[in-house]
Amino acid sequence: MVKKHTKPIVIKLKELKKRYGIGNAEHYALDGVDLIIEKGEFIAVMGPSGCGKTTLLNILGLLDRPTDGDYLLDGKAVEELSSAHHARIRSEQIGFVFQNFNLVPRISVIENVALPLTYKGMRKMKRLKEASRVLKNFHLQEREYYMPAQLSGGQNQRVAIARALVNNPSIILADEPTGNLDSRASHIVMEELSDLHRRGNTIIMVTHNPKLTTYASRVIHMLDGKIASDTKIPVKDESKTEKIPLGHGRKGKE
Ligand code: ADP
Ligand code: MG
């Protein structure tokens, strides 16, 4: 059966495989994943430890390459693009959020958020101005010159999300973003991700917490490197869903 897609397809995986080890130690972390992701979906990926969630996210984010199968990003076969092109996609189109925040401890919050702009060759003043604008959206402007160690876990994760967003990516990949947070901080972080979803961004988030799937528009369960179930959650009220492109929409709100 041919399924109709009303929105542009951003990600298409066909029979995707990732093998680790050789001979007796051979093991498929991903063992034939077929997946179509439309623009603006908020996908929660669940499944037991070791089932391949991180491997999948790393391949989607071009941090790792599949052993077999196809990955089309915006209709282009990722495999055929040069590593320089991959790097450009990573820095311009994809924002990463990790469980342990991955902030650089020796530099201030604002410098952390400005870091991805360095690779674009943007001047320092401009970088800090951009970082400050994003932090303001996260109500962290008073913390700009704090060091990461001076903030709570929840605040650090919001800084990490701000950093993931500074380049205005269209896809956010989050690997257990609330894994190290208490329930209150988790919900604040989820509200931020939810807000990005409402603005039309595509979000793929790995989580262990079934409660957090309420924020998603689709829940995927993985098992042994395969997709075991894939459920779309009906939109509550489509008319209230505003879709503003990230950076400029945000600017306009100030
Ligand atoms: P999850 O994130 O769902 O816990 P992972 O994607 O991290 O699972 O891992 C899936 C499987 O692949 C596991 O069996 C893991 O041990 C294996 N694996 C992951 N990364 C590597 C690696 N770099 N080398 C060898 N095996 C790996
Ligand atoms: Mg993992």
Side-chain angles (χ1 to χ4, degrees):
M1 197 182 90
V2 182
K3 239 173 141 187
K4 245 184 95 184
H5 292 275
T6 46
K7 291 187 182 138
I9 292 171
V10 277
I11 287 168
K12 187 168 182 177
L13 304 179
K14 217 167 155 243
E15 269 297 296
L16 199 86
K17 293 188 181 182
K18 177 69 181 181
R19 185 186 62 228
Y20 285 116
I22 44 165
N24 283 343
E26 191 178 278
H27 170 81
Y28 280 90
L30 294 177
D31 194 12
V33 171
D34 290 290
L35 184 62
I36 289 177
I37 301 177
E38 290 175 8
K39 184 174 169 17
E41 287 196 281
F42 186 163
I43 300 185
V45 181
M46 302 196 68
S49 187
C51 71
K53 306 181 296 294
T54 295
T55 305
L56 177 66
L57 230 58
N58 287 347
I59 290 176
L60 292 179
L62 309 183
L63 293 174
D64 203 354
R65 285 171 184 268
T67 313
D68 217 338
D70 298 317
Y71 173 11
L72 301 175
L73 179 62
D74 287 329
K76 284 190 217 85
V78 161
E79 194 196 2
E80 286 162 20
L81 307 175
S82 66
S83 4
H85 200 153
H86 280 196
R88 201 165 77 229
I89 293 172
R90 270 199 307 275
S91 96
E92 291 174 2
Q93 209 183 333
I94 300 172
F96 288 95
V97 182
F98 304 91
Q99 178 172 357
N100 55 2
F101 323 135
N102 280 13
L103 296 175
V104 181
R106 274 180 242 279
I107 59 176
S108 66
V109 159
I110 191 168
E111 286 171 302
N112 264 283
V113 174
L115 210 51
L117 300 171
T118 316
Y119 310 113
K120 275 186 160 173
M122 198 185 270
R123 277 176 26 250
K124 188 163 186 192
M125 281 307 289
K126 180 106 192 288
R127 291 203 302 269
L128 295 180
K129 210 174 142 219
E130 279 294 292
S132 183
R133 178 180 68 77
V134 181
L135 281 166
K136 197 173 164 204
N137 286 321
F138 283 78
H139 306 290
L140 283 165
Q141 66 268 42
E142 287 99 39
R143 301 280 192 274
E144 277 180 1
Y145 288 96
Y146 281 49
M147 302 302 275
Q150 294 175 293
L151 303 187
S152 69
Q155 287 170 334
N156 269 316
Q157 192 58 301
R158 283 160 56 223
V159 171
I161 297 175
R163 180 186 56 183
L165 295 178
V166 76
N167 270 333
N168 207 11
S170 53
I171 302 172
I172 318 286
L173 299 174
D175 197 352
E176 304 196 38
T178 63
N180 286 334
L181 304 179
D182 61 31
S183 108
R184 192 174 159 271
S186 293
H187 282 284
I188 294 172
V189 163
M190 288 310 299
E191 285 299 333
E192 299 290 0
L193 291 176
S194 205
D195 189 40
L196 297 173
H197 175 224
R198 277 192 293 273
R199 288 163 189 276
N201 291 276
T202 309
I203 302 175
I204 304 157
M205 173 191 76
V206 170
T207 180
H208 268 124
N209 188 346
K211 280 188 194 149
L212 301 185
T213 59
T214 53
Y215 291 93
S217 63
R218 181 174 172 193
V219 182
I220 288 175
H221 281 269
M222 288 181 70
L223 194 63
D224 298 334
K226 293 187 171 79
I227 292 179
S229 74
D230 185 344
T231 316
K232 287 207 177 163
I233 297 163
V235 181
K236 285 146 220 145
D237 188 354
E238 183 76 38
S239 66
K240 283 190 183 151
T241 327
E242 52 164 347
K243 298 221 163 66
I244 310 163
L246 242 181
H248 308 291
R250 297 207 143 203
K251 238 179 220 160
K253 258 181 91 178
E254 283 166 23

